[in-house]
Amino acid sequence: MRKIILYVFTLLFFSQCSSVKKHNRHLTEQIPIAQLKSDVDFTYKKLQKLHPNLYWYISKPALDSKFDSLKSTITQPITPLAFYKKLSPVVAAVRQGHTYLYPISKEMTKKETKALIKKGIGPFSQFDFDYFYNKLYVVNNKSYNKSIKPGAEVIAVNDVKPMDLIREYNNYYSSDGYNYTLKTNKSGKRFSSYFTVENGIKDSLIYTLKYNDSIQQITIRRYKEDSIKKKEQKTKKIVTATDRVKSRELRRKKRVNGYNADSKNYNRNLHFLEKDSSVAIMKIRSFSKGNFRPFYKESFREIDNYKSNTLILDLRDNGGGRLSEIVDLYSYLSDSTFVFLDKSEVVSKSSLIEGAYFNGGSFGLKILKAIYAPILYSYLLLTVHKESDGKNYYATHIKPHKVKEDAFKGKIYVLINGGSFSASSLISANLKSSKRVTFVGEETGGAFNGTVAGFMPVLELPHSELKIRIGIMAMVPHHKTEIIGRGIFPDKEITPTLEDKLKGNDPELNWILQDIMGK
C-alpha cells in the first residue's frame, strides 16, 4: 500500500513539474497568426454567449469594430504577454469591472514556492505603496532599512518608472461604466503586480526614491524574519481554564468576523465611540469570509442595547462579495419591507449551466456534475424565464423581504470610496433612497445601476492560454439613478491626501463626527 501511495505521489509531483515547465516555456513562444486570430474569435464568442449585457456601455457595432480592428493588427507571431496587451484593452472596452483578461506570468512548482518562502520576505512586500497626485509613494516601511521615510516618492524600481507601468496597465482593465475613482484607488496597490508580470519575481530591487529634495538609490533584498523571536514565541506556557475559554472565544470571533491571516485583521468589526456609545461604527472590509449572520444579529442587538442613535457604516475599499450577506445586512438597515434586486438578466439557461455549473473542477467532479445536471436544469426551468422584451431573467431576491426585529432606525452615515465595488455598491445604491442616510467620501468604483457578476467563470483561451473571467448575471438594485455609468456619489465629497495617510488622519470620519456634534 505504501508503495502505491509513493508511486501516486511521485507521479503527481513529476506531472506538476512537467506542467509548470511547459507553461513557462510557452511564455516565450511566438504564437502563430492564425492561432492568435482564433483566440480573438473565441473571446468574442464566449462574451456573446455568456455575458448578458455586453452592450450596456458600448454599442454592438462599436465592439464589433474593435474586435475586427484587433485582428487586422495581428500581422506577425507574438508572445502570450504581447497578445494580452493587444486583447485586454478590447475586453476592457465593455466597461464591466468583473469581466477582464488575466495577464500570463511565470509559475512555480510547490517545491520552488516553498524554497522562495524559506528565503524570506520579498523586496516589494516590505513596503506599502499608494497613489497620490499621479505619483507612487511609500506609505509604510516594513523593511529592515529604516532610513526610508514614509512619504518618499518612488521615482523608479530597477530603472522602471512606476507611472509608465501604471498608465499602461490602466488600459487593461475597467471599472463599471465611466467611473475613474476605482483606478485611482487601485493603481498604487497593483504596481508591484504589474512589475512582476513584466520582470518576474526578484530577490532584490534597486529603488530610486525622492524625499523632500533628496534623491537616493537603495537596494532592498529579500530577508528572513528574526528566528530568535519566533523561537521565543513558541516557548510553552501553562494553559489555564481561563486561557482555554479565551481561546474558544477567539476562534469563534475569527469564524464569525472573518479573520484575514495575511493582513491580520477582521472582515467585520463593530465598536462604539469611546466616550459616546450612542454612535456605533461598523467596518466591513468585504462581504466574504466568515459566518456573517451571527455577526449582524449580535451586532444590531448590541447597538439596540446601547441605545445608539447613529450608525457609521464604513464600506471604503470593500470590493464586494456575497449577495446573501448584503441582503441580510440591508434587512437591519431598511426603513420598511423591501425588494433588493430587480430580476437578473442572463443570456440563457445554458449560459448558467455552462458558465456557473460546469466551469472548473476536476474530471471526476465534472462527471458528478453531469449526473446531477438534469436536477439543475429542472430548477432553472422554474427560475429562468423569457420576458416580453425577449430577454431571459433569473429570479433572485426579487420578492419582498421583511426588516429584522432589531433593525436600526436612527441616522446612518455610509463611508465610500473608489475601492467600494460590486456588492458594496449594490447595497449603497439601495441605501441611497433613504432620507436618513448620508454618504461621505468619494464616488464608488461600482456603478449605481448595477453590475454584471453573480457567477463568474474563468475560461482559458485555446492557443495563447490566457484566461478570461466573465460575469454572467446582470444584477440590478431596486433603486436606480438616471445618471448612466457612474457610481454612488457622496453627499459630502472628501478625498484623503498623502499627508492624511502618513499622519493616520481620517478626514471623512472626522467630518461625520463633527456633523454629529453640530446636530
Side-chain angles (χ1 to χ4, degrees), residues 202-445:
K202 301 293 183 183
D203 287 332
S204 68
L205 294 170
I206 300 172
Y207 287 91
T208 304
L209 302 170
K210 180 180 179 181
Y211 188 76
N212 293 332
D213 294 324
S214 174
I215 295 178
Q216 58 180 334
Q217 282 193 336
I218 298 177
T219 299
I220 298 295
R221 295 178 174 83
R222 188 179 295 277
Y223 86 103
K224 290 184 178 181
E225 292 181 287
D226 191 340
S227 58
I228 296 174
K229 285 185 178 179
K230 282 191 172 182
K231 285 180 180 178
E232 287 175 353
Q233 290 171 0
K234 289 182 179 179
T235 304
K236 289 185 178 180
K237 67 172 186 176
I238 299 171
V239 179
T240 65
T242 303
D243 291 332
R244 284 192 286 271
V245 170
K246 287 181 178 178
S247 179
R248 283 196 298 270
E249 289 174 350
L250 181 60
R251 288 198 299 271
R252 184 182 186 278
K253 183 178 179 180
K254 286 183 175 181
R255 288 196 306 272
V256 172
N257 293 42
Y259 183 69
N260 189 322
D262 293 331
S263 56
K264 294 180 173 57
N265 59 28
Y266 292 94
N267 265 352
R268 304 169 198 85
N269 274 306
L270 173 71
H271 70 276
F272 299 84
L273 288 189
E274 189 174 344
K275 296 181 180 180
D276 185 4
S277 61
S278 69
V279 179
I281 303 175
M282 183 179 287
K283 171 66 178 175
I284 312 294
R285 289 185 169 84
S286 77
F287 293 111
S288 59
K289 197 176 182 68
N291 190 358
F292 62 87
R293 284 190 174 86
F295 173 81
Y296 294 125
K297 183 177 181 179
E298 292 164 15
S299 294
F300 282 97
R301 185 183 297 157
E302 190 174 0
I303 289 170
D304 186 53
N305 290 339
Y306 273 108
K307 308 298 180 186
S308 303
N309 53 32
T310 302
L311 171 65
I312 301 171
L313 179 63
D314 190 349
L315 298 181
R316 289 173 295 183
D317 298 315
N318 183 320
R322 296 171 289 204
L323 177 63
S324 55
E325 179 167 350
I326 57 174
V327 174
D328 189 63
L329 173 56
Y330 191 69
S331 68
Y332 289 98
L333 303 173
S334 179
D335 296 315
S336 58
T337 299
F338 64 93
V339 173
F340 195 82
L341 290 181
D342 287 353
K343 292 178 181 178
S344 298
E345 183 185 345
V346 296
V347 174
S348 63
K349 295 180 181 69
S350 61
S351 71
L352 282 173
I353 291 177
E354 178 185 341
Y357 186 68
F358 281 116
N359 181 255
S362 63
F363 179 72
L365 182 60
K366 286 179 178 178
I367 291 175
L368 285 174
K369 286 180 177 181
I371 293 171
Y372 289 102
I375 298 173
L376 173 68
Y377 196 79
S378 300
Y379 168 73
L380 292 177
L381 284 173
L382 299 173
T383 55
V384 177
H385 301 284
K386 182 170 285 190
E387 302 288 334
S388 57
D389 59 3
K391 298 177 180 179
N392 291 292
Y393 292 91
Y394 178 65
T396 178
H397 293 289
I398 63 169
K399 294 181 179 179
H401 292 263
K402 292 182 179 180
V403 295
K404 291 287 175 39
E405 188 176 328
D406 293 328
F408 184 72
K409 300 300 182 185
K411 173 66 180 174
I412 300 173
Y413 292 90
V414 182
L415 288 161
I416 52 173
N417 65 3
S420 306
F421 186 70
S422 191
S424 62
S425 292
L426 286 174
I427 190 171
S428 294
N430 282 331
L431 283 169
K432 191 71 173 174
S433 66
S434 175
K435 293 180 180 179
R436 61 190 178 93
V437 179
T438 298
F439 284 80
V440 180
E442 300 173 316
E443 178 188 358
T444 60

Side-chain angles (χ1 to χ4, degrees), residues 108-167:
M108 293 190 295
T109 63
K110 288 182 179 178
K111 185 178 180 181
E112 290 170 334
T113 302
K114 286 181 179 179
L116 187 67
I117 293 171
K118 193 174 181 180
K119 286 167 71 175
I121 302 169
F124 269 133
S125 299
Q126 295 174 40
F127 301 97
D128 291 331
F129 303 104
D130 217 333
Y131 179 79
F132 292 93
Y133 330 119
N134 293 319
K135 295 177 182 179
L136 186 71
Y137 291 91
V138 172
V139 293
N140 187 19
N141 178 7
K142 301 175 286 186
S143 77
Y144 56 83
N145 188 333
K146 301 306 177 186
S147 69
I148 299 172
K149 305 290 186 183
E153 180 189 347
V154 184
I155 303 294
V157 179
N158 282 15
D159 293 327
V160 175
K161 294 179 180 178
M163 288 315 304
D164 290 345
L165 265 188
I166 288 171
R167 288 191 189 100

Side-chain angles (χ1 to χ4, degrees), residues 1-20:
M1 187 64 185
R2 286 183 180 178
K3 288 183 179 180
I4 294 173
I5 294 171
L6 183 62
Y7 173 76
V8 171
F9 177 78
T10 305
L11 192 67
L12 288 171
F13 174 77
F14 283 109
S15 174
Q16 192 221 13
C17 291
S18 174
S19 175
V20 170

